[in-house]
Amino acid sequence: MGVTQTPVLVKVSSGAAKGQAVTLQGRYLGGPATGRIRLGADENGSGGYLIPAGAVTSWTDSEIVFNVPAASPAGGSWLFVEVNGRQSTGLPFSVSDQ
């Protein structure tokens, strides 16, 4: 029987403008087939929206790179990764218009 680890976010690059690349670092981040990124959530991981798969440029078990979608609302919020239904620890993140 396999052990499923809770994903852990360790570091996120500084806030980014729409269209810019963001790098997430952590552990047990799974891969694009089993994971998703939630941006704009509250500190408990509720709300926000899922980053479309097309915005992800690379995804490994320890690092994810994605571009902030143009439809992202500007402002501060929280960023989470969900892998096989398990929510990661969250990190504060801010999206700017420029």
Side-chain angles (χ1 to χ4, degrees):
M1 184 183 297
V3 175
T4 303
Q5 298 287 339
T6 299
V8 178
L9 292 181
V10 177
K11 182 180 178 184
V12 63
S13 55
S14 60
K18 296 173 184 180
Q20 290 186 327
V22 174
T23 301
L24 283 171
Q25 294 176 330
R27 293 187 297 275
Y28 317 118
L29 301 179
T34 58
R36 54 192 192 169
I37 304 164
R38 183 172 298 277
L39 182 61
D42 65 19
E43 65 273 8
N44 298 313
S46 298
Y49 64 96
L50 299 175
I51 300 291
V56 177
T57 56
S58 69
W59 191 318
T60 67
D61 198 46
S62 60
E63 183 177 276
I64 302 168
V65 179
F66 69 93
N67 292 315
V68 177
S72 302
S77 62
W78 288 77
L79 181 66
F80 291 86
V81 173
E82 299 166 8
V83 180
N84 290 324
R86 290 180 166 262
Q87 181 176 284
S88 71
T89 54
L91 290 173
F93 187 75
S94 180
V95 173
S96 65
D97 279 325
Q98 304 182 31

